[in-house]
Amino acid sequence: EAGVAQSPRYKIIEKRQSVAFWCNPISGHATLYWYQQILGQGPKLLIQFQNNGVVDDSQLPKDRFSAERLKGVDSTLKIQPAKLEDSAVYLCASSPWTSGSADTQYFGPGTRLTVL
Amino acid sequence: SQQGEEDPQALSIQEGENATMNCSYKTSINNLQWYRQNSGRGLVHLILIRSNEREKHSGRLRVTLDTSKKSSSLLITASRAADTASYFCATDANDYKLSFGAGTTVTVRA
């Protein structure tokens, strides 16, 4: 079974530029998550999709971050414009939907973003 | 804000020794999960323990959960160099999402 795919693996941009990350979850997984992990911290949930609908985006800075999962499969996370504090690893994860609890999540390798 | 807090922040042990790390959380939970992250890589799920369970084992891993104290521990027995990683606890506070702690960094010395 193929794992969660993410691209690119690394990205360096200057502040005020825009950047996009792509994620392809494990086949059949209904739930997709984007996390931001700042160096030395644990992952922080940015947005959670159930199929192509948003379940939770309460911690997504909506003035600059956007995400979509148009056909309920792969997803794109965009930052526009980027700030220095956006430097982090962006992790995508997926899980099968099981009602009543948060399932085991399967993580991709992440995209390391550096904003100069 | 992060629900879980791991303790200690960092741990250095000799190969073959046991490693124990703890996680405390604030609100009632549905389940608690432990993940491992090797340097520069994604997280890997280790074990899930539900709120009605007190102990679970998986290979060299042993997890306990004390809901009255709102705490969990992860024990790695007979550690190996490959166990060098950061370990995170994550809690499901009955809201269908996980909240991760800041992690414990474990270094296993040869």
Side-chain angles (χ1 to χ4, degrees):
Chain A
E1 176 181 82
V4 176
Q6 288 189 249
S7 67
R9 291 295 312 277
Y10 305 91
K11 190 73 178 178
I12 300 174
I13 61 173
E14 296 194 346
K15 60 183 179 183
R16 291 187 289 273
Q17 286 188 323
S18 62
V19 64
F21 313 124
W22 175 82
C23 172
N24 194 25
I26 291 172
S27 177
H29 280 192
T31 311
L32 185 149
Y33 313 81
W34 283 102
Y35 290 89
Q36 179 192 61
Q37 186 178 23
I38 292 171
L39 187 65
Q41 298 181 19
K44 182 184 87 171
L45 180 68
L46 292 175
I47 189 166
Q48 177 179 343
F49 292 95
Q50 174 70 17
N51 296 310
N52 61 349
V54 175
V55 174
D56 188 326
D57 63 356
S58 57
Q59 298 196 84
L60 186 74
K62 297 181 186 65
D63 57 335
R64 298 184 301 107
F65 286 64
S66 65
E68 60 184 12
R69 193 185 184 198
L70 290 175
K71 296 183 179 178
V73 180
D74 58 347
S75 176
T76 303
L77 176 69
K78 297 179 181 176
I79 307 175
Q80 182 179 9
K83 293 185 175 181
L84 296 177
E85 59 260 35
D86 298 332
S87 293
V89 175
Y90 290 84
L91 295 163
C92 179
S94 69
S95 68
W97 172 253
T98 302
S99 62
S101 66
D103 279 309
T104 296
Q105 295 184 16
Y106 299 83
F107 283 81
T111 297
R112 184 176 298 275
L113 173 68
T114 301
V115 182
L116 304 175
Chain B
S1 62
Q2 293 178 317
Q3 151 93 300
E5 288 187 10
E6 291 91 342
D7 173 63
Q9 286 187 319
L11 184 58
S12 180
I13 56 174
Q14 202 75 28
E15 203 165 20
E17 291 181 338
N18 296 342
T20 300
M21 61 211 84
N22 303 295
C23 171
S24 59
Y25 56 91
K26 298 183 179 72
T27 64
S28 62
I29 60 170
N30 198 7
N31 68 58
L32 184 145
Q33 302 179 30
W34 286 92
Y35 288 79
R36 182 187 73 226
Q37 185 176 37
N38 293 93
S39 179
R41 308 282 291 275
L43 281 76
V44 173
H45 179 262
L46 296 177
I47 201 163
L48 181 154
I49 187 164
R50 302 194 186 283
S51 59
N52 61 353
E53 297 175 313
R54 291 296 166 260
E55 187 172 313
K56 281 190 87 167
H57 297 256
S58 177
R60 294 183 296 111
L61 305 180
R62 172 178 171 258
V63 168
T64 63
L65 179 65
D66 186 335
T67 53
S68 66
K69 295 181 179 178
K70 292 187 172 59
S71 68
S72 173
S73 69
L74 171 65
L75 168 68
I76 305 172
T77 60
S79 62
R80 306 166 181 169
D83 295 326
T84 293
S86 292
Y87 293 81
F88 296 90
C89 71
T91 52
D92 166 20
N94 299 304
D95 55 2
Y96 303 97
K97 61 185 181 185
L98 293 179
S99 179
F100 287 82
T104 293
T105 299
V106 175
T107 302
V108 181
R109 305 187 307 273

